[in-house]
């Protein structure tokens, strides 16, 4: 059963997962000790001693920290799964460089693949540059002769 659970957690997140589970278990132990010690005083909290309050805050802190770790792991796994287009291009070039360094790719093959990756990157950048920006549309010469909003409002008020 442990092997199945370990397979569900990515290898880079296993130390964080171990820390989150350990922190949660420690928090449950502290809160259990707090409940045992404070059982008599739950109806009258003014009679609770400082050591009982310390147990409560340690338990709550451990459980909250484990929840924060789980949230951080989920966010990290989601951003890793999503990835960015730029990250994909960079990682493709890095993978190609590693293959070239290990000798899995010849000089000619490396140059050909690198040119293909760089050309696809240039094409993406050109497409983004060719799309007109909002400021360009607003400040275009076609709109230069058109009356501004302030001028239209003045005309209406008169």
């Amino acid at each position: 059963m442990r092997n199945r659970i370990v397979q569900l957690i990515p290898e880079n997140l296993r130390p964080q997962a171990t820390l989150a589970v350990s922190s949660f278990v420690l928090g449950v132990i502290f809160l259990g000790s707090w409940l045992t010690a404070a059982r008599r005083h739950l109806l009258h909290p003014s009679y609770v001693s400082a050591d009982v309050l310390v147990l409560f805050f340690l338990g709550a802190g451990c459980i909250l920290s484990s929840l924060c770790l789980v949230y951080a792991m989920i966010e990290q796994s989601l951003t890793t799964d999503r990835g960015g287009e730029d990250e994909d291009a960079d990682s493709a070039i890095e993978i190609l460089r590693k293959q070239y360094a290990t000798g899995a790719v010849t000089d000619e093959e490396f140059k050909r693949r690198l040119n293909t990756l760089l050309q696809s990157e240039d094409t993406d950048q050109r497409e983004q540059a060719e799309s007109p920006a909002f400021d360009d549309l607003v400040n275009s010469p076609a709109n230069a002769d058109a009356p501004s909003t302030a001028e239209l409002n003045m005309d209406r008020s008169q």
Side-chain angles (χ1 to χ4, degrees):
M1 171 118 172
R2 182 181 184 276
N3 290 336
R4 288 182 186 173
I5 294 172
V6 169
Q7 290 174 353
L8 293 175
I9 301 171
E11 197 165 321
N12 60 340
L13 297 178
R14 287 184 187 157
Q16 290 175 339
T18 303
L19 184 61
V21 169
S22 301
S23 178
F24 186 79
V25 168
L26 192 60
V28 168
I29 291 171
F30 280 136
L31 286 179
S33 299
W34 168 74
L35 278 175
T36 304
R39 185 177 319 164
R40 304 171 281 202
H41 305 292
L42 286 178
L43 296 176
H44 300 288
S46 61
Y47 299 119
V48 176
S49 62
D51 56 340
V52 174
L53 286 176
V54 168
L55 285 173
F56 171 75
F57 287 119
L58 282 173
C62 287
I63 288 178
L64 286 175
S65 66
S66 68
L67 292 175
C68 289
L69 278 169
V70 168
Y71 177 76
M73 287 188 312
I74 290 171
E75 285 294 315
Q76 184 179 358
S77 68
L78 289 177
T79 55
T80 303
D81 290 344
R82 268 188 260 148
E85 292 177 7
D86 295 336
E87 293 173 3
D88 291 341
D90 290 341
S91 64
I93 292 173
E94 289 301 318
I95 291 171
L96 182 60
R97 286 182 180 160
K98 287 178 184 176
Q99 289 176 347
Y100 180 70
T102 59
V105 177
T106 62
D107 291 340
E108 296 81 21
E109 182 71 16
F110 174 76
K111 289 177 186 176
R112 186 182 64 77
R113 287 185 182 181
L114 185 61
N115 285 334
T116 304
L117 287 172
L118 293 176
Q119 285 174 356
S120 67
E121 188 175 289
D122 289 341
T123 305
D124 292 341
Q125 289 176 354
R126 265 189 263 123
E127 287 174 0
Q128 289 176 355
E130 289 173 359
S131 64
F134 177 74
D135 292 335
D136 294 339
L137 292 175
V138 172
N139 298 327
S140 68
N143 292 334
D145 296 332
S148 67
T149 307
E151 292 172 348
L152 291 174
N153 288 337
M154 288 176 65
D155 289 340
R156 285 186 194 159
S157 64
Q158 292 174 354

